[in-house]
Amino acid sequence: MTTALTGVRATARLVARDDGRGGTALPVLESDGPLALRRTRGSGAEARVMLVGAMSGPLGGDHFTVRAEVQEGARLHVGSAAATIALPGQTKGEAHYDVRLAVSEEAELHWLPEQLISAGGSDLYVTTRVDLADTSRFVLREEQVLGRVGEEPGRLSSRLVLRIAGRTVLDQELTCGPGAPGGWDGPAVLAGHRAVGQLLLARPEFAEHPVAARQLAEHAVVVPLAGPAALVSAVSPDALRLRRVLDEALAVLSA
Amino acid sequence: MSRAALLVLADGRFPAGGHAHSGGAEAAVGAGRITDAESLEAFCRGRLHTAGLVSAALAAAAVLGVPPRELDAAADARTPSPALRLAARKLGRQLTRAARATWPSAELDALAREFPKGAHQPVVLGLAARAAGLEAVDAAYCAVYESVSGPASATVRLLSLDPFDATAVLARLAPELDRVADQAVEAARNVADEGTDALPAASAPLLEIAAELHAAWPVRLFAS
């Protein structure tokens, strides 16, 4: 971790590999400053890791990166201990939070962090880039909450890119809050909803048997992407209702 | 180059089938999110900065000579809704036919062969502009204008909104159309060095979600 007037730079790294005995080993588990990784009790072949925010943040000027690599045949589940709150910093300027995930052949990653809350006055760019192999299995949950209770949100820009075997299957960016391009809270984009979330799933079976597009809740659908992946998109009035919709979707799609 | 070709391409009467699509306005009217000129303007503004920007950048990149195959894949990745992917390809196929008859070109012929079910409409729009001797910025203007004019004219029919009010909405958006067209061309110019990742990916959750719900309506006035 380096701290300067410009903010905190921190990179946490995580590598999971098949331990050859039916389990998953974590040869690399590097915490850095505000980004702490803890191994927790797993189940079966799956290793579990919890991302624990040891400080609040990211604040304006901070640049956090989390890199996770799941090697051939390994199975990893990553969650976080609490919601991440983007806050304004001492220094003016935007904060960045980059997540880079790579999953090899026959490997599985469940990336299920808690919500990202955009507090008033914050300015955060989140970028999540995922690289999968043809035979990887993958689940990712992403939830953005615009403002704490009764608060105007900060500016939040979030890009999610999924590549499978080098081909881009999803590339989506959402920018909202003060200073975002006009219309972000209007009838085409969020229409006053304060929680927006996605569940992204990739499985080799989806190549032959894609999910059927259908409605899951008032403002939630599951759709097949142009590749072996499915996306649940949902907007909700608040974080609690959003989570309920995404939990139900995950249960249905995992069955 | 003939600047007047831009008027031919951008004309609402150009026979490319756009009139059958509301750009999500029918779903938004049905859900009570568009009720008057003010909410139409907010809808159009949101669509302009998301789907409009992405379409304009794809069209501009096609004019600059980025291979259609790459742009079509980039459009797929930026369109999670299969209903919207299907609509974009149908519109692309109709535009390919109209453009080949209007501005015969080997590139449009090759596009029709490569995408028998249609390429994404903005990609075709860019190649049509190229065949007409237009520039990247012209194609970007066509795309940003279409992104708001479609919903505006559909709302006139759906809500019996006063056409004067709908046109005034478009006029008020004009300075933003200028900015988004410039932004799109700038992004398209970066594709040569950075690949299609340089294209914007701005998305509108409710447009995507509502497009799927709308596609399941048993009776509707517009295809999308």
Side-chain angles (χ1 to χ4, degrees):
Chain A
M1 177 177 84
T2 57
T3 308
L5 281 174
T6 51
V8 175
R9 293 188 76 88
T11 301
R13 291 177 64 234
L14 167 61
V15 175
R17 66 170 171 77
D18 182 351
D19 68 3
R21 290 174 284 118
T24 293
L26 300 173
V28 175
L29 191 66
E30 284 178 17
S31 302
D32 188 12
L35 300 169
L37 297 170
R38 302 272 180 269
R39 183 164 191 167
T40 60
R41 186 184 295 273
S43 60
E46 183 183 79
R48 274 185 181 249
V49 169
M50 191 71 88
L51 182 59
V52 183
M55 288 160 50
S56 64
L59 309 178
D62 291 352
H63 194 146
F64 295 176
T65 305
V66 179
R67 292 179 179 276
E69 181 189 335
V70 187
Q71 297 177 348
E72 191 171 341
R75 294 181 60 185
L76 177 66
H77 178 117
V78 178
S80 64
T84 300
I85 305 180
L87 294 162
Q90 297 279 333
T91 56
K92 285 275 175 203
E94 60 206 42
H96 290 261
Y97 199 135
D98 296 334
V99 176
R100 299 282 181 273
L101 308 175
V103 187
S104 300
E105 298 287 348
E106 310 288 342
E108 180 170 291
L109 174 61
H110 286 214
W111 188 264
L112 301 168
E114 295 302 306
Q115 297 91 348
L116 173 63
I117 301 170
S118 170
S122 66
D123 185 2
L124 177 66
Y125 287 78
V126 184
T127 311
T128 304
R129 290 185 187 275
V130 184
D131 275 284
L132 306 183
D134 269 329
T135 55
S136 312
R137 303 174 72 80
F138 180 71
V139 179
L140 172 143
R141 180 178 64 214
E142 195 180 77
E143 295 162 299
Q144 282 115 23
V145 181
L146 307 183
R148 291 166 293 194
V149 176
E151 174 189 54
E152 279 305 298
R155 208 201 61 84
L156 176 64
S157 178
S158 167
R159 189 161 189 172
L160 174 60
V161 181
L162 171 70
R163 281 193 187 80
I164 302 180
R167 198 168 74 84
T168 305
V169 171
L170 178 70
D171 191 342
Q172 258 199 316
E173 184 166 45
L174 177 65
T175 305
C176 29
W184 67 269
D185 204 19
V189 188
L190 291 179
H193 293 88
R194 282 294 171 265
V196 52
Q198 310 197 90
L199 205 55
L200 178 58
L201 298 96
R203 288 176 202 157
E205 304 91 277
F206 285 154
E208 290 289 311
H209 304 287
V211 298
R214 66 193 166 90
Q215 186 173 11
L216 300 170
E218 190 188 359
H219 296 300
V221 294
V222 58
V223 293
L225 297 177
L231 181 72
V232 175
S233 296
V235 298
S236 282
D238 58 52
L240 204 65
R241 276 178 273 189
L242 176 67
R243 175 60 64 87
R244 202 177 301 146
V245 169
L246 294 183
D247 277 351
E248 282 171 16
L250 187 56
V252 169
L253 291 164
S254 303
Chain B
M1 171 215 155
S2 155
R3 168 111 321 152
L6 175 59
L7 297 177
V8 176
L9 184 59
D11 191 332
R13 286 158 295 188
F14 190 74
H19 62 277
H21 295 259
S22 77
E26 184 168 33
V29 167
R33 291 195 292 271
I34 299 178
T35 54
D36 54 15
E38 194 186 341
S39 46
L40 171 65
E41 183 170 337
F43 178 90
C44 288
R45 183 169 279 117
R47 190 164 195 261
L48 166 67
H49 288 287
T50 54
L53 170 65
V54 172
S55 295
L58 287 164
V63 179
L64 295 173
V66 180
R69 170 66 59 188
E70 289 176 28
L71 293 174
D72 191 73
D76 259 352
R78 287 160 177 75
T79 318
S81 156
L84 291 182
R85 291 199 297 273
L86 183 66
R89 289 189 185 287
K90 282 185 173 167
L91 282 167
R93 188 165 68 168
Q94 283 167 287
L95 180 56
T96 305
R97 282 172 59 187
R100 286 173 81 192
T102 313
W103 297 286
S105 98
E107 283 179 351
L108 285 170
D109 294 345
L111 183 77
R113 278 195 303 276
E114 193 174 356
F115 295 94
K117 290 183 175 170
H120 276 263
Q121 192 267 1
V123 181
V124 184
L125 180 64
L127 284 183
R130 198 171 144 94
L134 294 166
E135 293 173 12
V137 68
D138 301 318
Y141 265 97
C142 267
V144 294
Y145 185 67
E146 274 176 13
S147 76
V148 295
S149 65
S153 59
T155 302
V156 169
R157 287 171 67 188
L158 291 161
L159 281 181
S160 304
L161 188 71
D162 186 333
F164 292 158
D165 291 341
T167 306
V169 164
L170 296 179
R172 279 197 294 277
L173 288 168
E176 274 175 81
L177 296 178
D178 290 338
R179 283 200 295 277
V180 175
D182 286 346
Q183 203 184 337
V185 172
E186 198 182 319
R189 292 200 190 286
N190 291 333
V191 173
D193 290 334
E194 298 167 30
T196 52
D197 278 2
L199 293 168
S203 66
L206 278 174
L207 281 183
E208 296 280 337
I209 293 167
E212 288 302 317
L213 307 186
H214 180 259
W217 287 13
V219 180
R220 54 209 151 105
L221 203 53
F222 292 93
S224 74

